[in-house]
Amino acid sequence: AQKVTQAQTEISVVEKEDVTLDCVYETRDTTYYLFWYKQPPSGELVFLIRRNSFDEQNEISGRYSWNFQKSTSSFNFTITASQVVDSAVYFCALSEAAQGAQKLVFGQGTRLTINP
Amino acid sequence: SAVISQKPSRDICQRGTSLTIQCQVDSQVTMMFWYRQQPGQSLTLIATANQGSEATYESGFVIDKFPISRPNLTFSTLTVSNMSPEDSSIYLCSYPEGGQETQYFGPGTRLLVL
């Protein structure tokens, strides 16, 4: 069965610090997709990134970067030079092609607080 | 991505009543999904709303409690029936895009049951 673990329940840092959010997943499928979503206090869920299981290239988008390592079943998310606007709950999620790629399993989320 | 909206954005309801939540997408989509997020918790898939057929429910969710309609390819409703305080949650709808791999979510409906 598929499972996503975000061991960090809450993280609090001072603005401009770098912060890494951890995500570990379990799946028996060879084809799967990994996602990160951001949920600000307003409640909407904002899509950040999708990664396919066959593409292990790391990705950088501005201050955001993602490190996908199949060997350790991890898909970690780093925010560089954090800002107060980055404060939100971040969810890592997994879907398996065999189960219908649209079925998302979410981790428990990491609440990130950036203090000025 | 298409624009997805939900109504109402929030509501406070009395126990024993029912609330219907609407989800509208500004373009036709093949599938729509409903999720529940209980306070301080993660998201759990309730059901897949299929156009022209009955919804497909996940384990732990039943049609009598969460009836779903999908009258066309841009619209769906979720009803939370006979509500109790335990139903207090954020309810979100979503649709898949990009080969059905990426899901985009509506703004959510915050429900408080007294």
Side-chain angles (χ1 to χ4, degrees):
Chain A
Q2 47 186 326
K3 182 180 178 182
V4 177
T5 301
Q6 295 178 253
Q8 305 150 308
T9 305
E10 294 190 30
I11 300 176
S12 181
V13 301
V14 177
E15 199 172 18
K16 298 183 182 177
E17 286 186 18
D18 298 346
V19 58
T20 295
L21 309 182
D22 297 333
C23 174
V24 175
Y25 61 93
E26 295 177 28
T27 177
R28 286 180 285 189
D29 205 346
T30 55
T31 302
Y32 52 90
Y33 306 92
L34 295 163
F35 305 83
W36 276 95
Y37 287 88
K38 174 182 179 180
Q39 188 175 44
S42 52
E44 76 271 25
L45 214 61
V46 179
F47 167 73
L48 295 178
I49 190 172
R50 181 191 79 216
R51 216 22 149 202
N52 305 329
S53 55
F54 43 85
D55 181 3
E56 281 194 78
Q57 277 194 340
N58 292 327
E59 183 156 338
I60 298 175
S61 176
R63 297 184 296 107
Y64 295 173
S65 62
W66 291 269
N67 183 356
F68 176 28
Q69 293 196 345
K70 289 177 74 170
S71 61
T72 56
S73 298
S74 65
F75 186 42
N76 297 336
F77 173 30
T78 297
I79 301 174
T80 304
S82 60
Q83 299 177 2
V84 173
V85 293
D86 296 326
S87 296
V89 180
Y90 290 86
F91 290 97
C92 182
L94 164 74
S95 68
E96 293 176 339
Q99 296 294 323
Q102 61 271 20
K103 285 199 173 185
L104 284 175
V105 172
F106 284 85
Q108 285 303 106
T110 297
R111 180 176 299 278
L112 176 63
T113 302
I114 310 297
N115 299 299
Chain B
S1 58
V3 176
I4 180 169
S5 60
Q6 287 183 233
K7 289 182 182 179
S9 58
R10 60 179 65 231
D11 207 343
I12 301 174
C13 300
Q14 298 298 318
R15 70 172 65 209
T17 63
S18 298
L19 176 72
T20 296
I21 302 169
Q22 299 178 9
C23 180
Q24 179 79 54
V25 187
D26 71 352
S27 62
Q28 293 185 342
V29 296
T30 53
M31 307 183 82
M32 295 175 75
F33 305 93
W34 287 98
Y35 287 80
R36 180 178 73 181
Q37 185 180 21
Q38 294 176 300
Q41 302 297 314
S42 186
L43 284 81
T44 302
L45 179 63
I46 297 172
T48 302
N50 306 305
Q51 199 272 328
S53 64
E54 282 196 1
T56 305
Y57 289 84
E58 297 300 305
S59 175
F61 298 96
V62 295
I63 186 171
D64 289 346
K65 176 66 176 178
F66 297 102
I68 287 171
S69 77
R70 180 87 196 273
N72 56 55
L73 292 175
T74 65
F75 187 78
S76 178
T77 67
L78 169 76
T79 299
V80 186
S81 303
N82 188 24
M83 289 184 285
S84 67
E86 291 71 35
D87 294 318
S88 298
S89 298
I90 300 175
Y91 292 86
L92 300 104
C93 64
S94 71
Y95 73 93
E97 200 176 85
Q100 301 195 19
E101 295 155 1
T102 299
Q103 283 195 41
Y104 292 93
F105 286 81
T109 296
R110 291 179 183 268
L111 172 62
L112 176 63
V113 183
L114 302 177

